[in-house]
Amino acid sequence: MLQVKNIQASVAEDSGNTPILRGIDFSVQAGEFHLILGVNGSGKSTFGKVLLGSSQYKQMGGSILFCGEEISEKPTFERAQMGIFLSHQSPPALEGISVKEVLRAADKSSNHKRALFHFKKSLKESLSSSGLSHSFMDRDLNVGASGGERKKMEIASLLTIGAKLAFLDEIDSGLDVDALKMVSEGINRFAENKENAVILVSHSETILKYVNPTHVHVFCGGKIVASGGIELAEKIHKEGYGAVQDCVSCLKSI
Ligand code: ADP
Ligand code: MG
């Protein structure tokens, strides 16, 4: 589904081209669930934004193939239309635009536009699966919503617009245990369709009680320094990044 080869990226306005991503190689197949760990400032969020072609960054090399197509030059909306979804670390509020309007607009412009009846049915189911009442449909997006409700709304959006690849950036941060369970259920609902794939960035061990990553990667200094299975996450949560030799050498070299 996704094949990233040696991408490098820096901040768009940085005339010195100081790299934030320094050669990322990363592949995801349909049905896989990848967990990304890494110290603060190691490039995890930048990676998600570069995948979606954020104008904040410039990609300086490498390639990004999504479903066999090179997307590095494509604008963000085309990447989203193709089925890549990025959740916001801090979801913004949009005054004057309801949840229904935002998601219907996304649905209409996607490559699999549905009849209004099917769209509404899907939106209601997605809100329920994410632990939100149907009244959210007619509320302005995230206006007056709590942090937890905003994170649930990200999952409801993901489930409604029918993306294939979800990049969920710290979707679990700031959630109480009940909200975390609801968000995890939503993620699992998306992941149970084996045509989909998930990339989850998280610092917390707690979410691993509810979701089952198939692959784990560790970011450091804009690179992936270690990859493995769930045992890698367990080791880091128990012993810290110092337990991963490649992380220690990377941190020394920064
Ligand atoms: P992570 O998500 O792993 O904590 P980020 O991807 O947010 O890390 O950031 C990686 C590094 O790039 C940090 O040092 C951060 O300060 C820097 N960075 C990211 N985006 C910008 C930006 N728009 N302007 C300046 N520096 C940035
Ligand atoms: Mg981040």
Side-chain angles (χ1 to χ4, degrees), residues 40-46 49 89 169-170 201 203:
N40 292 328
S42 55
K44 306 179 296 296
S45 296
T46 302
K49 289 183 196 160
Q89 206 167 335
D169 196 358
E170 300 203 24
V201 176
H203 287 293

Side-chain angles (χ1 to χ4, degrees), residues 47-67:
F47 178 47
K49 289 183 196 160
V50 169
L51 278 184
L52 262 294
S54 161
S55 56
Q56 283 179 309
Y57 302 97
K58 55 188 165 199
Q59 187 185 325
M60 295 178 302
S63 71
I64 307 176
L65 291 179
F66 182 67
C67 297

Side-chain angles (χ1 to χ4, degrees), residues 28-100:
V28 179
Q29 307 287 344
E32 292 179 351
F33 192 133
H34 291 247
L35 173 69
I36 295 183
L37 303 172
V39 292
N40 292 328
S42 55
K44 306 179 296 296
S45 296
T46 302
F47 178 47
K49 289 183 196 160
V50 169
L51 278 184
L52 262 294
S54 161
S55 56
Q56 283 179 309
Y57 302 97
K58 55 188 165 199
Q59 187 185 325
M60 295 178 302
S63 71
I64 307 176
L65 291 179
F66 182 67
C67 297
E69 222 180 302
E70 176 59 63
I71 60 167
S72 294
E73 300 293 327
K74 288 189 189 292
T76 300
F77 78 90
E78 283 186 24
R79 302 185 198 204
Q81 278 174 333
M82 290 173 78
I84 313 180
F85 178 95
L86 174 67
S87 73
H88 291 96
Q89 206 167 335
S90 312
L94 283 182
E95 206 152 335
I97 307 175
S98 71
V99 166
K100 198 166 62 188

Side-chain angles (χ1 to χ4, degrees), residues 2-7 23-28 47 51 62-65:
L2 178 73
Q3 204 171 15
V4 171
K5 279 195 201 139
N6 195 25
I7 57 167
I24 303 275
D25 291 304
F26 190 87
S27 289
V28 179
F47 178 47
L51 278 184
S63 71
I64 307 176
L65 291 179

